[in-house]
């Protein structure tokens, strides 16, 4: 499968969501999928991912800033031949995604990685968040309690998957110590 992943601040911020997006892309690539990572880096001449991205993974700067740029970015997405797009962020800039994906025939998954009550008070307002979620084909949330933050007509689009626990740095538990 050819997977598109939007890691908005891929080349800008060294945060947890950027790390998780790169990890997901690298893991999917290792599992035999092809990945394309889309990001936003306005004003940067030659943006590079902050976290190490597999050299075989293409990354594309969407350069979204106005209505005309949506058409250019849509052509980049459509020309990438991806089969699905997963947007891994949740704030006001996500409002570009339903418009960007409109007419491409590519399913859009919105993967929200925070408490929606925090997001609606700190990152964007409830109306913007729900408008964006309504444009998604599927929605990923971290917790079953978060489903109630969405209107009932969106509930059938939701899949809950908790954040993964990182692998231990060392093998501190042996089979013998577990009994």
């Amino acid at each position: 499968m050819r997977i598109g992943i939007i890691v908005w601040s891929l080349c800008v911020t060294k945060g947890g969501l950027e790390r998780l997006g790169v990890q997901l892309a690298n893991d999917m690539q290792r599992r035999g999928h092809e990945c394309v990572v889309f990001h936003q880096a306005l004003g940067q001449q030659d943006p590079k991912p902050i976290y190490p991205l597999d050299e075989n993974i293409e990354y594309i700067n969407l350069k979204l800033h106005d209505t005309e740029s949506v058409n250019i970015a849509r052509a980049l997405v459509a020309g990438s031949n991806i089969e699905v797009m997963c947007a891994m962020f949740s704030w006001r800039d996500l409002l570009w995604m339903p418009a960007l994906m409109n007419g491409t025939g590519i399913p859009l998954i919105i993967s929200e990685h925070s408490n929606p009550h925090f997001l609606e008070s700190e990152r964007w307002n409830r109306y913007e968040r729900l408008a964006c979620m309504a444009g998604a084909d599927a929605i990923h949330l971290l917790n079953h309690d978060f489903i109630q933050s969405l209107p009932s007509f969106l509930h059938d689009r939701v899949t809950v998957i908790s954040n993964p626990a990182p692998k231990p740095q060392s093998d501190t538990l042996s089979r013998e110590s577990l009994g």
Side-chain angles (χ1 to χ4, degrees):
M1 175 175 257
R2 191 157 165 89
I3 303 168
I5 302 172
I6 298 175
V7 182
W8 195 254
S9 303
L10 177 74
C11 302
V12 178
T13 304
K14 190 173 189 174
L17 196 54
E18 292 77 19
R19 181 181 37 78
L20 183 61
V22 166
Q23 180 182 359
L24 176 64
N26 288 339
D27 285 349
M28 290 295 102
Q29 193 82 12
R30 274 192 290 279
R31 292 176 185 183
H33 300 284
E34 293 178 45
C35 289
V36 179
V37 177
F38 298 90
H39 66 98
Q40 177 83 345
L42 290 175
Q44 292 186 16
Q45 291 299 329
D46 188 23
K48 301 284 186 222
I50 292 176
Y51 289 104
L53 191 61
D54 182 296
E55 64 184 30
N56 296 312
I57 297 175
E58 180 180 8
Y59 58 100
I60 298 173
N61 187 353
L62 293 172
K63 300 178 186 177
L64 289 163
H65 62 278
D66 61 17
T67 305
E68 183 58 31
S69 68
V70 171
N71 295 329
I72 294 167
R74 184 181 297 120
L76 288 170
V77 169
S80 71
N81 297 314
I82 59 172
E83 298 169 64
V84 65
M85 177 70 87
C86 180
M88 296 189 62
F89 65 102
S90 188
W91 57 84
R92 185 167 282 115
D93 291 329
L94 188 58
L95 286 167
W96 289 107
M97 293 309 108
L100 175 69
M101 301 307 294
N102 187 35
T104 65
I106 301 166
L108 172 63
I109 301 168
I110 295 178
S111 182
E112 194 169 75
H113 285 265
S114 192
N115 184 319
H117 303 293
F118 164 77
L119 295 171
E120 289 178 2
S121 65
E122 298 292 325
R123 298 283 178 100
W124 54 355
N125 66 46
R126 180 164 179 74
Y127 176 78
E128 292 167 331
R129 178 176 173 264
L130 296 182
C132 202
M133 294 297 189
D137 296 287
I139 301 166
H140 161 238
L141 299 175
L142 295 176
N143 183 311
H144 286 282
D145 293 340
F146 296 167
I147 295 171
Q148 297 311 312
S149 72
L150 299 174
S152 60
F153 78 90
L154 293 176
H155 290 187
D156 64 339
R157 299 183 199 178
V158 173
T159 299
V160 174
I161 304 171
S162 299
N163 271 336
K167 292 182 181 179
Q169 295 297 322
S170 65
D171 189 16
T172 57
L173 295 176
S174 66
R175 291 188 188 276
E176 295 79 32
S177 69
L178 292 175

